[in-house]
């Protein structure tokens, strides 16, 4: 049973709308990540956080922003959605220490029309 | 040079055969190595991790690590059609670099 939750699971929205993708975890993990993945393509890290009030941009430039006000919550926001933002967005978390893999949420499939 | 390299495949094996998936990495300081399985349209799930040189077995899966050659592999014995998926190799950096770097993945198809 997943301990990291993403909502919504699917989202179709018009160009120019503001959207927030939710990600919450109940494992007390200090590290959280957002990845973007197009169908059949590799994972790209777009944001990460190592703790409350700590956020960093990932390897792939993204117009989205994130916040980390609470340990368990790491939402991603797009101020003005565009068709180029259409993709799957995956949230993950991990516990302190390099020896621990990530636990992924079920993802949000975003379509901007 | 990409940090984590995998043969994109597809790799096709018959049911019951051994599937061998390979991965090389560029950062000699990498400390932890992971294999994820991702079914089409789903999120990745962790199936194996390995930290030390040698083999690590878990059921039908064996991970092999050779740090001198910067090489990690995953063997799947008695392959089943349900093993058909994309397998992602992931590597952490050295020191306090906790970020996982993922390879592009190898698509495995197990034919009944």
């Amino acid at each position: 049973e997943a301990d990291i939750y993403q909502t919504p699971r699917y989202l179709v929205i018009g160009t120019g709308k503001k959207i927030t993708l939710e990600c919450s975890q109940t494992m007390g993990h200090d590290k959280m990540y957002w990845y973007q993945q197009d169908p059949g393509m590799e994972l790209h890290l777009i944001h990460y956080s190592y703790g409350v009030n700590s956020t960093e941009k990932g390897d792939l430039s993204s117009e989205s922003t994130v916040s980390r006000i609470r340990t368990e919550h790491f939402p991603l926001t797009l101020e003005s959605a565009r068709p180029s933002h259409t993709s799957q967005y995956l949230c993950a978390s991990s516990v302190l220490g390099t020896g621990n893999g990530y636990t992924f949420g079920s993802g949000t499939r975003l379509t901007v029309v | 040079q990409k940090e984590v390299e995998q043969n994109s495949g597809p790799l096709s094996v018959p049911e019951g055969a051994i599937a061998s998936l390979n991965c090389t990495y560029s950062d000699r300081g990498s400390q932890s190595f992971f294999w994820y399985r991702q079914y089409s349209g789903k999120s990745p799930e962790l199936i194996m991790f390995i930290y030390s040189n040698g083999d690590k077995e878990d059921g039908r899966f064996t991970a092999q690590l050779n740090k001198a050659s910067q090489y990690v592999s995953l063997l799947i014995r008695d392959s089943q059609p349900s093993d058909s998926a994309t397998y992602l190799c992931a590597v952490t950096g050295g020191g306090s670099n906790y970020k996982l770097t993922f390879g592009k993945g190898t698509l495995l198809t197990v034919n009944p």
Side-chain angles (χ1 to χ4, degrees):
Chain A
E1 185 175 345
D3 294 318
I4 180 165
Y5 306 95
Q6 289 187 245
T7 57
R9 182 72 181 90
Y10 301 93
L11 178 62
V12 180
I13 200 162
T15 298
K17 299 292 186 182
K18 177 180 179 179
I19 59 170
T20 297
L21 308 184
E22 300 289 348
C23 177
S24 294
Q25 49 95 6
T26 59
M27 297 172 284
H29 287 176
D30 54 342
K31 296 177 179 57
M32 297 188 74
Y33 312 84
W34 276 103
Y35 283 84
Q36 185 175 340
Q37 185 181 36
D38 293 327
M41 303 299 286
E42 63 189 297
L43 289 160
H44 291 287
L45 179 67
I46 52 175
H47 298 283
Y48 64 98
S49 168
Y50 285 172
V52 172
N53 294 325
S54 163
T55 61
E56 300 286 345
K57 290 189 179 296
D59 305 319
L60 180 69
S61 176
S62 173
E63 293 167 345
S64 59
T65 59
V66 293
S67 63
R68 189 89 181 278
I69 299 173
R70 303 197 313 269
T71 298
E72 64 271 20
H73 194 215
F74 191 40
L76 180 145
T77 298
L78 276 166
E79 290 293 332
S80 180
R82 297 209 299 266
S84 61
H85 297 139
T86 295
S87 188
Q88 170 150 273
Y89 293 84
L90 291 162
C91 181
S93 70
S94 68
V95 72
L96 181 68
T98 60
N100 298 286
Y102 294 2
T103 301
F104 282 88
S106 298
T108 294
R109 186 168 298 281
L110 172 66
T111 302
V112 184
V113 297
Chain B
Q1 179 187 2
K2 189 164 175 57
E3 295 179 43
V4 179
E5 299 255 17
Q6 293 182 256
N7 187 329
S8 60
L11 173 65
S12 183
V13 300
E15 184 174 355
I18 295 175
S20 178
L21 303 160
N22 305 315
C23 172
T24 59
Y25 59 94
S26 61
D27 184 355
R28 284 198 170 274
S30 297
Q31 297 182 6
S32 305
F33 307 86
F34 305 85
W35 283 99
Y36 284 81
R37 177 176 62 200
Q38 186 175 26
Y39 292 112
S40 180
K42 303 294 186 181
S43 58
E45 56 177 323
L46 180 65
I47 54 172
M48 288 286 290
F49 59 89
I50 186 167
Y51 312 139
S52 303
N53 278 326
D55 296 358
K56 179 181 179 182
E57 187 174 320
D58 184 0
R60 296 187 296 111
F61 298 96
T62 299
Q64 299 174 316
L65 175 61
N66 184 326
K67 289 187 177 181
S69 300
Q70 295 174 244
Y71 175 89
V72 59
S73 66
L74 179 70
L75 300 178
I76 306 174
R77 290 182 300 281
D78 188 24
S79 295
Q80 301 297 309
S82 58
D83 294 326
S84 298
T86 296
Y87 289 81
L88 304 169
C89 174
V91 176
T92 58
S96 61
N97 182 1
Y98 304 117
K99 289 186 293 177
L100 277 180
T101 299
F102 286 86
K104 289 186 176 182
T106 298
L107 176 61
L108 171 67
T109 301
V110 180
N111 301 305

